[in-house]
């Protein structure tokens, strides 16, 4: 039996095992995927322990996506670009770090909104870890990007990393209403990558909802709740809306491609996740 899992802290909220195990079963794979709580001082032991136990691969989630890098023998270009790893492959001699978050987000948007990315104008709310992967990927796909983040210098740092390579595709604005109004008026797709809309901020929106226009497509990478405050307001206005389930599924699909060079049944993964979320 092949062993897989995800390490993080906290990990009890993770639904990764639900979709991976459903897809293993669907494809008659003799494999199992388990969530694993790891304390920070044990991170190196967890990585080397997984290798010693014969794991084929693991996923890495918050807060270890950057911290795991020193324990790996090499990084793929996708992981190197963002210095962030969400997928690890153990081979005989190597522990290889990869990142599927950006490509997973992009694939979810292309499929779920039925669009081509090149030239699309995005307003991205947030500049944390998930935003980092998403923004690097969208820049590579020749999208025009405006970023607004509570801590402005994090957005500016991202723009500085990207703009020299991609002809100034990234613009940074403040969270002032006037700046957001200008940005929403010129954007086609609005993406929330902040955690505003879940847990303690479940009743809040990361964007004043009166700035939404019916022609916007709105993606919130939060998936629990399945419909955030922002998405509910956008849907009521007639916008096309999608939650974070698609990103979660497609980053997992791309992890399978990295581990095994095969593609799971995407519909099985969506169904397993949505069933599990419906129970919450
Ligand atoms: P992170 O690195 O901690 O970044 C959090 C982001 O949210 C930062 O931009 C932060 O702004 C902003 N933020 C937090 N609280 C805020 C507040 N009260 N007001 C305004 N901004 C606030 O976290 P992450 O890993 O990027 O995850 C962010 C969200 O994405 C989480 O909800 C997570 O569940 C979701 N996510 C979904 C997927 C998926 O597959 N669907 C994958 C990864 C993450 P500052 O920079 O100012 O702190």
């Amino acid at each position: 039996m092949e062993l897989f899992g995800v390490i993080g802290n906290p990990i009890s909220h993770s639904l990764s095992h639900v979709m991976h195990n459903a897809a293993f079963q669907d494809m008659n794979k003799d494999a199992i995927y388990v969530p694993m709580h790891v304390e920070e001082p044990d991170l190196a032991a967890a990585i080397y322990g997984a290798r010693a136990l014969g794991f084929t691969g693991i996923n890495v989630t918050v807060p270890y996506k950057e911290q795991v890098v020193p324990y790996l023998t090499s990084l793929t270009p996708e992981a190197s670009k963002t210095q962030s790893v969400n997928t690890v492959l153990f081979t005989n001699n190597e522990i290889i770090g990869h990142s599927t978050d950006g490509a997973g987000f992009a694939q979810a948007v292309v499929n779920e909104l039925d669009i081509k990315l090149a030239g699309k104008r995005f307003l991205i709310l947030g500049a944390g870890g998930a935003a980092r992967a998403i923004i690097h990927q969208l820049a590579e796909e020749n999208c025009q990007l405006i970023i607004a983040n509570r801590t402005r210098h994090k957005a500016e740092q991202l723009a500085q990393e990207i703009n020299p390579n991609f002809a100034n595709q990234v613009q940074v604005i403040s969270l002032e209403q006037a700046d957001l109004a200008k940005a929403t008026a010129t954007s086609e797709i609005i993406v929330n990558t902040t955690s505003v809309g879940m847990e303690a901020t479940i009743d809040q929106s990361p964007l004043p909802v009166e700035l939404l226009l019916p022609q916007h497509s709105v993606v919130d990478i939060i998936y629990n709740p399945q419909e955030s405050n922002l998405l509910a307001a956008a849907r009521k206005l007639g916008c096309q809306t999608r939650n974070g389930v698609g990103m979660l599924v497609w980053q997992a699909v791309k992890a399978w491609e990295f581990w095994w060079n095969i593609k799971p049944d995407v519909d099985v993964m969506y169904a397993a996740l949505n069933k599990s979320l419906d129970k919450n």
Side-chain angles (χ1 to χ4, degrees), residues 13 61-62 65-66 101 105 125-132 134 148-152 154-155 175 192-198 201 204 206 220-224 243-249 251:
H13 66 286
T61 190
V62 175
K65 289 185 186 183
E66 290 88 24
D101 281 332
F105 173 83
L125 304 165
R132 207 175 166 69
I134 289 169
N149 190 45
R150 180 178 62 178
T151 310
R152 184 173 176 136
K154 281 165 68 180
L175 285 171
N192 176 39
T193 72
T194 77
S195 46
V196 178
M198 60 187 294
T201 56
Q204 295 174 26
D220 196 328
I221 69 166
I222 290 174
Y223 50 84
N224 194 2
N243 69 13
V245 167
M247 178 176 173
L248 194 60
V249 165
Q251 61 78 30

Side-chain angles (χ1 to χ4, degrees), residues 104-125:
F105 173 83
Q107 191 70 61
V109 166
V110 165
N111 284 32
E112 293 190 346
L113 300 180
D114 195 19
I115 56 163
K116 288 198 168 64
L117 287 173
K120 286 283 180 305
R121 298 186 303 275
F122 282 78
L123 168 61
I124 310 281
L125 304 165

Side-chain angles (χ1 to χ4, degrees), residues 5 34 47 54 135 146 161 250 262:
V34 284
I47 298 292
I135 288 165
I146 300 175
E161 285 171 25
W250 280 99
I262 58 172

